[in-house]
Amino acid sequence: MSESSRDTAEGAGWGDAQPGDYRALMPSQVEKLSWLNPKTLWAARNGVLASWFGDPTGQTRSRWAHQQPAAGAPADRVIRRDGPDRFSFMVIGDTGEGDDPQYAVVPGFLKTGQDTDFAVLASDVIYPVGATADYGTKFFRPYRDYRAPIYAIPGNHDWYEDLQGFMKVFCDAAPLAPAPAPRPLTGAWLRSLLWHRPGKPDEQRLGEARKLRSTPAQQAVQPGPYWAIDAGRVRIIGIDTGLLGTIDAEQGRWLREVSQGPRPKILVTGSPLYVDGEHHPCPIEGGGTVDDIVRDPGHHYVAAIGGDIHNYQRYPVDVDGRTIQYVVSGGGGAFMHATHTIPRVSVANVGEQDFRCYPLRGDSLAFYSRLYGRRLRLRRFFTLTEAEATAVVAERLGIPVTRAQGTPARVTRRIRLVARLLGAGGRPDRTARFRLPVRKLYTRLFSPGSATYSPPFFKSFLRLDVTEEAVRLRCFAATGNLRQELDPPVEDEVTIPLV
């Protein structure tokens, strides 16, 4: 097994590494998506409008749910897969920017997943707005050689065109009829004036793209944007958290129903329930939360996996004497959200000794220091070595260095200043007043976007192997370097008992 980032700097992808062969998979022309481009931000405006004038996601989802389902789709939204009790599946989240970081994940994903039974895309299949026209280069082409079905749950970006592309591709759904016009001079009316609406899909272009994943073994019958899969002893439940990270009352009733019974369950959601050292239980319209359902001992959940945040995190939370693994898995291709802004973890009795993340905080800080050194043309001042970044993160959080160093780096005033400017997390007792605004600033506003086209990319995906007794969950890394491409390193592993 190859070295991971927890073993060596080379295992993290630093150094004079040889780039991988992923570019051979890419189209000759690749549009560089920039989140600093006003045109991109304007196209993705629906999330802001929903927060200002009311979120229409629930009503739109209900209209999708009551359309004629695809042929063979189960009425109860439970996909029943015939097969042995032992099976394996992949989870990959926040994939579709269609550029180097997305395609750099593909070789390792294919190698690790070559004998798996199916895959799940967890949130934000297509950036920036889930357009049907983007599925060719951002879904069908990169995963054309994955020889098993792919199921998906949408993220907020897939909702920026009212889920039209997602429903067409995964559920073979016809476009929705126009909604009734809202009453004038209401919030809904103001929202409708500014709302970004989907364009007419190019059926010929989509038909050509579908040919890339057209074998019988690759086909999936998905009943809608939320669903359940019964496979072996486990039920995997995927929920759609829409634009603002909530679910409507109708979906909430369905979730409570399919969560009943002793069968062990794994939740896949577009909005993680624990992330960045905080608890986000996910409200349900009409009362209650998704995490209330997950924690109910009668529902027998063993894990909850969420996308949306573009890195990997794991929180083993004790709930009444049993452990539920709460996982963030959004490192499938989109720009990297920082981990160095995560403060010292202390949430739900999970501390630093139990918490895991990828990239490691020191690697994240070194990555961002190089990025802003280039952007601001202050490389000599901003750029930190991975050893310097690791040392200053350990100092600020009051924890041991995560990776063994040859000669420990000396932490200077410059290094401390750069760490503070880039939002490096601290101890909860020292930074409680400032850590939330700083973390939101760096993860939402100053994320690297399209500025990162050379390795290491610090991407990740999951493989879950299910037996009658347990689920083995592994997080694999993809850096864009040949070494990690040929032998994807395991960055985290946990065995989840089912008995």
Side-chain angles (χ1 to χ4, degrees):
M1 183 180 295
S2 62
E3 296 174 328
S4 74
S5 68
R6 290 183 172 270
D7 300 318
T8 65
E10 292 74 19
W14 298 117
D16 297 324
Q18 181 180 352
D21 295 329
Y22 64 88
R23 281 183 170 270
L25 306 172
M26 299 174 65
S28 56
Q29 298 280 333
V30 176
E31 181 182 358
K32 305 298 186 183
L33 177 62
S34 173
W35 292 102
L36 302 178
N37 186 332
K39 183 178 178 181
T40 302
L41 296 175
W42 176 243
R45 63 189 179 271
N46 285 0
V48 175
L49 294 175
S51 66
W52 288 352
F53 301 116
D55 184 4
T57 301
Q59 295 94 323
T60 307
R61 185 189 295 116
S62 181
R63 292 167 61 217
W64 281 119
H66 290 96
Q67 275 205 159
Q68 181 68 32
D76 61 358
R77 303 181 177 276
V78 180
I79 303 159
R80 294 167 177 87
R81 293 183 55 88
D82 296 328
D85 287 342
R86 293 174 177 263
F87 71 96
S88 303
F89 67 101
M90 307 293 286
V91 176
I92 183 169
D94 299 84
T95 52
E97 289 194 359
D99 51 17
D100 292 56
Q102 178 178 9
Y103 278 87
V105 180
V106 173
F109 177 85
L110 294 176
K111 183 179 180 66
T112 304
Q114 61 186 335
D115 61 339
T116 54
D117 296 271
F118 59 91
V120 175
L121 295 187
S123 180
D124 290 336
V125 180
I126 301 294
Y127 291 94
V129 295
T132 309
D134 288 336
Y135 271 86
T137 56
K138 299 178 182 181
F139 173 70
F140 288 105
R141 185 184 182 102
Y143 310 116
R144 61 185 174 181
D145 293 325
Y146 180 69
R147 299 302 179 188
I150 297 177
Y151 303 94
I153 58 168
N156 58 309
H157 286 267
D158 300 303
W159 269 100
Y160 289 159
E161 290 206 346
D162 291 338
L163 218 62
Q164 178 170 277
F166 181 96
M167 292 298 294
K168 178 68 177 177
V169 169
F170 292 103
C171 307
D172 197 25
L176 281 179
R183 288 184 297 127
L185 303 180
T186 62
W189 177 76
L190 289 170
R191 183 186 65 217
S192 69
L193 295 180
L194 298 171
W195 199 252
H196 173 82
R197 291 177 173 80
K200 184 178 180 180
D202 186 332
E203 296 290 349
Q204 182 177 353
R205 182 176 179 180
L206 182 58
E208 289 298 314
R210 284 187 185 276
K211 293 178 181 178
L212 297 173
R213 282 188 50 84
S214 59
T215 66
Q218 293 175 312
Q219 304 313 301
V221 178
Q222 182 168 318
Y226 57 94
W227 41 259
I229 299 173
D230 283 351
R233 290 193 60 227
V234 171
R235 172 169 283 184
I236 302 150
I237 299 174
I239 61 171
D240 168 20
T241 55
L243 283 169
L244 302 181
T246 62
I247 69 173
D248 60 282
E250 183 178 344
Q251 186 182 181
R253 288 190 294 271
W254 172 87
L255 177 59
R256 290 185 176 97
E257 183 177 336
V258 297
S259 297
Q260 299 293 327
R263 189 174 196 143
K265 298 172 186 73
I266 297 171
L267 182 74
V268 183
T269 169
S271 299
L273 303 180
Y274 282 88
V275 59
D276 293 346
E278 299 170 351
H279 184 210
H280 297 270
C282 187
I284 299 173
E285 181 187 17
T289 69
V290 169
D291 202 30
D292 291 339
I293 296 172
V294 170
R295 287 169 172 264
D296 188 322
H299 295 161
H300 298 274
Y301 278 90
V302 297
I305 303 170
D308 187 51
I309 302 301
H310 307 166
N311 53 45
Y312 171 82
Q313 301 174 43
R314 180 170 64 84
Y315 301 81
V317 177
D318 180 87
V319 180
D320 300 325
R322 58 196 176 93
T323 299
I324 299 175
Q325 299 290 342
Y326 290 87
V327 176
V328 178
S329 182
F335 64 84
M336 186 191 86
H337 279 140
T339 59
H340 67 268
T341 57
I342 302 172
R344 181 169 174 167
V345 170
S346 179
V347 60
N349 293 319
V350 177
E352 276 294 322
Q353 70 277 10
D354 306 308
F355 169 70
R356 294 290 182 272
C357 69
Y358 177 80
L360 299 179
R361 291 183 178 96
D363 290 330
S364 172
L365 179 58
F367 177 99
Y368 269 74
S369 76
R370 285 161 168 76
L371 171 69
Y372 282 97
R374 292 195 304 270
R375 279 191 177 174
L376 301 176
R377 298 183 181 181
L378 294 170
R379 296 191 187 199
R380 291 186 62 185
F381 173 75
F382 260 98
T383 302
L384 305 181
T385 67
E386 56 83 18
E388 290 170 338
T390 297
V392 73
V393 164
E395 178 185 271
R396 286 181 64 79
L397 269 66
I399 61 174
V401 293
T402 313
R403 181 168 60 227
Q405 307 287 333
T407 302
R410 186 171 67 91
V411 179
T412 65
R413 290 182 182 177
R414 178 188 71 88
I415 293 171
R416 292 188 182 100
L417 177 58
V418 170
R420 285 197 297 271
L421 290 173
L422 294 180
R427 302 186 190 186
D429 57 335
R430 293 184 180 178
T431 60
R433 291 178 56 198
F434 304 105
R435 73 172 182 269
L436 180 59
V438 167
R439 183 162 67 254
K440 286 187 179 295
L441 179 68
Y442 280 96
T443 59
R444 299 298 187 184
L445 182 59
F446 293 123
S447 292
S450 59
T452 53
Y453 286 110
S454 58
F457 294 126
F458 297 111
K459 302 294 148 202
S460 58
F461 55 88
L462 307 182
R463 174 175 170 136
L464 290 89
D465 299 292
V466 182
T467 68
E468 295 181 10
E469 296 81 23
V471 177
R472 182 190 186 195
L473 183 152
R474 285 175 289 171
C475 172
F476 289 87
T479 66
N481 289 326
L482 186 63
R483 181 177 181 178
Q484 287 82 28
E485 192 173 277
L486 295 174
D487 189 10
V490 176
E491 289 292 335
D492 186 33
E493 178 174 351
V494 63
T495 298
I496 307 169
L498 297 180
V499 180

